[in-house]
């Protein structure tokens, strides 16, 4: 069967071709490669008779063959090409080949003779790789992606067991650095696999920054930190165009310099310390996973997750997040002080020289495949109706709204709350090694999903009623629907 061989993140993979296959960075492509240099929908491979054709889909970097950019390419056996920074080799039959750099093994464009240097490099690369073992299979195959030819699809029980094992390994690795905060870590993992963002609210010194950094190490994701200040501008986080001059030709051109927003895990520290103009720069990134600068759109690396922090103590000189941006966060997580035993362990461990190394459990591609697996978990109409009833019960002046909601709530949760309730429940059951979602799983994440989507009125403020207490009363009031 025709196969694509490619190397990504120090792993060699293979992808079997059918009649048509799209290649890109987003998970809805047939072949998803979460590489920053690959566009959202980079190229497509189509079959016409016995021939396969590769066509560019308007990508930024195009198709590179023998150091030349082409818009289309007819794939022949053992021909090589590059999409962004990823090298591919097309194998027409069932033979085994190894992915080699495009400049070493790529054939020239039609009508152009191959250079002697390219021939020598291709021969040397083929000789050096002839004795290498076959490419390993990827660890996760929930829906599509690279797999060994003829390999049987894994059973659902095996996939779920590996999902649970990955979660336990991540928690164990993070536990080498972070003492306690298990509930917070669990909610962060649920949000990561459900493609959500988190707003962390807690006093200074509760290891918010360290948790994000350690999470990035355990899943081998790039993490950046932005300290939000009143003078921070949108271009400081998204990036800006820089005027450069070519020393050879003397011509000047603008080159986009990427900002710290281009990372897998972004820690937006004290996000409410910056003006709304800069806060709004995150809206497109959080929702669309891309940024627009000077009329040009740039895709963010996948997976992409924002973990923003707020200090609940001092509110002088802050800019409260607008409701639209609050709604972009899947969870609002309240961090509490550690217990006495945990705090004693913290001050002992952090005053020593040695620190335990954090081992990588998953990579970016495996995280994306697990995110797709979460979307495939079925939810019954019974559970979906219960989540819907919870959300609608938070809206005042609706038919059937509880009296305390009409008295205390100015605005209730929107439809995105119901979506996040189900996604959180789906990710939760997979992390626990289970298959089905129950109403209890939905209730488990009602507080972090709903607390920042309720806006109490003056009556609630005067009576000392918090959003958490309103959500708790809603959970007590709304009963599971009858079958």
């Amino acid at each position: 069967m025709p196969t694509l061989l490619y190397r990504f993140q120090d792993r060699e993979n293979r992808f079997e071709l059918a009649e048509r296959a799209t290649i890109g960075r987003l998970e809805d492509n047939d072949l998803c490669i979460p590489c920053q240099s690959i566009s959202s929908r980079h190229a497509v491979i189509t079959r016409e008779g016995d021939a396969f054709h590769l066509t560019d889909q308007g990508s930024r970097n195009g198709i590179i063959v023998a150091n030349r950019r082409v818009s289309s390419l007819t794939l022949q056996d053992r021909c090589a090409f590059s999409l962004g920074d990823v090298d591919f080799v097309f194998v027409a039959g069932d033979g085994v080949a190894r992915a080699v750099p495009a400049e070493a093994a790529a054939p020239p464009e039609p009508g152009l003779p191959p250079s002697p240097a390219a021939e020598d490099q291709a021969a040397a690369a083929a000789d050096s790789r002839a004795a290498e073992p076959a490419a390993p299979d990827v660890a996760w195959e929930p829906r599509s992606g690279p797999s060994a030819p003829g390999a049987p699809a894994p059973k659902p029980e095996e996939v779920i067991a590996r999902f649970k094992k990955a979660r336990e390994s991540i928690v164990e690795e993070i536990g080498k650095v972070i003492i306690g905060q298990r509930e917070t870590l669990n909610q962060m993992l649920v949000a990561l696999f459900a493609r959500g963002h988190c707003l962390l609210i807690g006093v200074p010194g509760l290891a918010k920054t360290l948790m994000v950094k350690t999470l990035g190490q355990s899943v081998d994701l790039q993490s950046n930190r932005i300290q939000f200040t009143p003078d921070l501008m949108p271009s400081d986080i998204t990036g800006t165009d820089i005027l450069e001059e070519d020393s050879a030709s003397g011509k000047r051109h603008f080159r986009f310099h990427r900002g710290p927003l281009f990372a897998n895990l972004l820690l937006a520290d004290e996000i409410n310390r910056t003006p709304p103009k800069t806060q709004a720069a995150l809206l497109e990134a959080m929702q669309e996973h891309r940024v627009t600068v000077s009329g040009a759109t740039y895709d963010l690396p996948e997976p992409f997750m924002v973990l923003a922090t707020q200090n609940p103590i001092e509110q002088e000189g802050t800019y409260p997040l607008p409701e639209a941006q609050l709604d972009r966060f899947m969870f609002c997580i309240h961090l509490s002080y550690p217990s006495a035993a945990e705090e004693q362990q913290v001050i002992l461990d952090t005053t020593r020289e040695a620190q335990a190394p954090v081992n990588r459990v998953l990579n970016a591609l495996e995280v994306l495949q697990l995110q797709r697996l979460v979307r495939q978990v079925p939810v019954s109409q019974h559970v979906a109706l219960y989540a819907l009833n919870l959300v609608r019960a938070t809206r005042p002046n609706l038919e059937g709204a509880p009296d305390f909601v009409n008295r205390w709530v100015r605005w209730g949760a929107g439809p995105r709350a119901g979506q996040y309730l189900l996604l959180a429940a789906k990710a939760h059951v997979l992390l626990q090694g289970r298959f089905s979602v129950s109403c209890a799983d939905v209730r488990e994440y009602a507080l972090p999903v709903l607390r920042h989507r309720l806006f109490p009125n003056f009556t609630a403020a005067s009576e000392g009623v918090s959003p958490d207490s309103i959500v708790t009363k809603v959970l007590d009031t709304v009963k599971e629907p009858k079958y």
Side-chain angles (χ1 to χ4, degrees):
M1 177 175 290
T3 305
L4 277 183
L5 305 179
Y6 67 96
R7 175 180 288 273
F8 179 64
Q9 291 185 339
D10 298 327
R11 299 184 61 179
E12 294 193 14
N13 309 283
R14 56 179 60 200
F15 179 79
E16 295 181 355
L17 295 173
E19 296 297 321
R20 186 178 186 274
T22 58
I23 306 174
R25 189 166 49 82
L26 294 182
E27 58 272 6
D28 56 357
N29 289 281
D30 298 306
L31 176 54
C32 171
I33 304 177
C35 179
Q36 186 173 329
S37 61
I38 291 183
S39 298
S40 301
R41 291 171 179 82
H42 199 113
V44 61
I45 298 178
T46 56
R47 181 172 183 171
E48 298 179 7
D50 294 333
F52 285 85
H53 302 280
L54 177 67
T55 306
D56 182 53
Q57 298 293 293
S59 63
R60 298 191 311 272
N61 299 321
I63 304 169
I64 305 300
V65 181
N67 293 325
R68 296 176 181 270
R69 178 167 179 166
V70 299
S71 59
S72 62
L73 174 67
T74 299
L75 298 178
Q76 301 176 353
D77 188 28
R78 307 304 173 95
C79 80
F81 60 92
S82 296
L83 303 181
D85 297 331
V86 183
D87 302 322
F88 295 81
V89 172
F90 174 75
V91 181
D94 294 331
V96 176
R98 304 301 289 171
V100 297
E103 63 270 16
E109 289 188 276
L112 294 177
S115 64
E119 291 180 339
D120 295 340
Q121 292 174 352
D127 293 340
S128 64
R129 289 172 168 83
E132 292 186 4
D137 302 336
V138 298
W140 307 90
E141 300 175 39
R143 180 170 66 100
S144 63
S147 60
K155 296 181 180 179
E157 295 85 353
E158 297 175 354
V159 176
I160 300 300
R162 286 151 64 184
F163 200 141
K164 180 181 179 181
K165 183 178 180 181
R167 177 252 180 192
E168 294 172 349
S169 299
I170 292 174
V171 172
E172 180 181 354
E173 293 300 321
I174 297 178
K176 296 177 180 179
V177 180
I178 304 298
I179 306 299
Q181 302 291 0
R182 289 304 177 95
E183 183 178 357
T184 299
L185 291 174
N186 181 69
Q187 292 177 358
M188 289 171 59
L189 287 176
V190 168
L192 172 63
F193 293 124
R195 303 177 196 166
H197 310 284
C198 292
L199 178 62
L200 308 176
I201 298 180
V203 300
L206 296 182
K208 298 185 291 291
T209 303
L210 186 59
M211 270 192 287
V212 176
K213 178 183 177 181
T214 310
L215 176 62
Q217 292 175 346
S218 65
V219 292
D220 196 25
L221 299 178
Q222 180 188 358
S223 59
N224 284 345
R225 176 180 180 269
I226 303 177
Q227 180 64 51
F228 281 76
T229 56
D231 59 346
L232 198 69
M233 299 298 293
S235 60
D236 294 332
I237 64 175
T238 60
T240 186
D241 290 322
I242 299 178
L243 183 62
E244 292 185 347
E245 182 176 347
D246 190 341
S247 58
S249 62
K251 294 183 178 180
R252 296 182 178 181
H253 64 278
F254 282 99
R255 181 179 66 86
F256 179 66
H257 178 72
R258 300 176 185 270
L261 190 60
F262 287 82
N264 299 117
L265 295 179
L266 177 69
L267 175 62
D269 211 356
E270 294 191 282
I271 187 175
N272 59 334
R273 297 269 175 204
T274 198
K277 184 176 183 180
T278 305
Q279 293 176 0
L282 282 177
L283 282 176
E284 182 184 17
M286 294 172 64
Q287 187 67 24
E288 306 294 338
H289 289 201
R290 65 185 183 186
V291 295
T292 302
V293 179
S294 301
T297 301
Y298 302 93
D299 295 319
L300 296 172
E302 296 288 351
F304 176 71
M305 181 182 185
V306 173
L307 295 112
T309 69
Q310 284 189 185
N311 186 343
I313 301 176
E314 183 185 0
Q315 297 302 317
E316 183 179 354
T318 61
Y319 304 86
L321 293 177
E323 289 78 1
Q325 188 161 345
L326 279 174
D327 198 43
R328 259 54 174 199
F329 288 99
M330 179 178 185
F331 288 158
C332 178
I333 303 175
H334 286 180
L335 281 77
S336 58
Y337 287 110
S339 64
E342 292 172 345
E343 191 166 359
Q344 181 182 8
Q345 189 65 38
V346 167
I347 62 178
L348 285 174
D349 290 350
T350 54
T351 53
R352 294 170 180 167
E353 181 67 26
Q355 187 176 5
V358 177
N359 299 318
R360 187 189 78 176
V361 178
L362 300 175
N363 58 35
L365 179 59
E366 292 166 338
V367 171
L368 285 176
Q369 292 173 330
L370 289 173
Q371 289 177 343
R372 289 199 299 269
L373 181 61
V374 168
R375 300 272 172 159
Q376 299 175 49
V377 175
V379 175
S380 67
Q381 294 289 341
H382 175 78
V383 175
L385 180 59
Y386 178 66
L388 174 67
N389 291 341
L390 284 179
V391 174
R392 293 183 64 85
T394 65
R395 301 169 186 169
N397 304 320
L398 287 185
E399 183 181 357
D403 293 338
F404 64 87
V405 170
N406 293 329
R407 175 179 174 81
W408 291 331
V409 179
R410 182 162 51 98
W411 296 103
R416 192 177 278 120
Q419 298 171 350
Y420 282 147
L421 277 176
L422 290 188
L423 284 173
K426 288 183 175 185
H428 173 71
V429 297
L430 289 182
L431 289 172
Q432 299 297 322
R434 295 189 279 115
F435 293 89
S436 59
V437 178
S438 67
C439 294
D441 299 316
V442 173
R443 287 194 297 270
E444 185 80 17
Y445 293 92
L447 265 177
V449 169
L450 296 175
R451 61 163 53 114
H452 59 298
R453 292 182 166 88
L454 299 184
F455 300 96
N457 54 25
F458 177 77
T459 302
S462 62
E463 297 179 7
V465 178
S466 65
D468 281 23
S469 60
I470 297 176
V471 174
T472 302
K473 287 182 68 68
V474 168
L475 291 173
D476 296 335
T477 302
V478 178
K479 306 300 180 184
E480 294 187 19
K482 298 181 180 180
Y483 285 98

